[in-house]
Amino acid sequence: MSDDVHTSIDNAVKGNDVLLFMKGTPTFPQCGFSSVVVQVLDYLGVEYQAVNVLENQDVREGVKAYSDWPTIPQLYVKGEFVGGCDIVKEMFEA
């Protein structure tokens, strides 16, 4: 991952209270896992920003290296990596 991509991801994570890296957009998710996380956040009324990783292959691969997590979606809260779809769903159901 280039320094520019790392810096861009780091700034996005630290600059938003809740940030979701996803495939597609909250209005039009492009994968079922991203859709589930969007549905949970929307149901809870959480204000969040989303990054569509399908728009930039460098960000798509870079966020995996940034978090050391191999899949998307990825949810960050207050600069901390929370997890992907399964973790968010488990937290919601708990």
Side-chain angles (χ1 to χ4, degrees):
M1 167 175 37
S2 74
D3 287 343
D4 288 345
V5 171
H6 183 274
T7 300
S8 174
I9 292 169
D10 194 52
N11 288 340
V13 166
K14 292 176 179 171
N16 293 282
D17 283 345
V18 182
L19 181 66
L20 177 62
F21 288 91
M22 64 179 292
K23 293 178 181 174
T25 65
T27 330
F28 191 64
Q30 302 262 332
C31 93
F33 299 114
S34 292
S35 180
V36 168
V37 177
V38 166
Q39 288 175 28
V40 168
L41 294 174
D42 288 349
Y43 179 83
L44 295 172
V46 174
E47 290 187 30
Y48 63 96
Q49 296 297 314
V51 175
N52 180 0
V53 300
L54 299 177
E55 292 179 345
N56 187 321
Q57 186 65 26
D58 291 336
V59 171
R60 183 177 184 174
E61 295 307 317
V63 74
K64 295 175 188 179
Y66 181 84
S67 63
D68 197 26
W69 189 261
T71 59
I72 297 195
Q74 294 187 10
L75 181 66
Y76 291 81
V77 177
K78 304 273 186 193
E80 297 292 324
F81 176 61
V82 173
C85 178
D86 291 343
I87 292 170
V88 171
K89 190 175 172 189
E90 286 176 19
M91 291 173 70
F92 174 70
E93 293 172 347

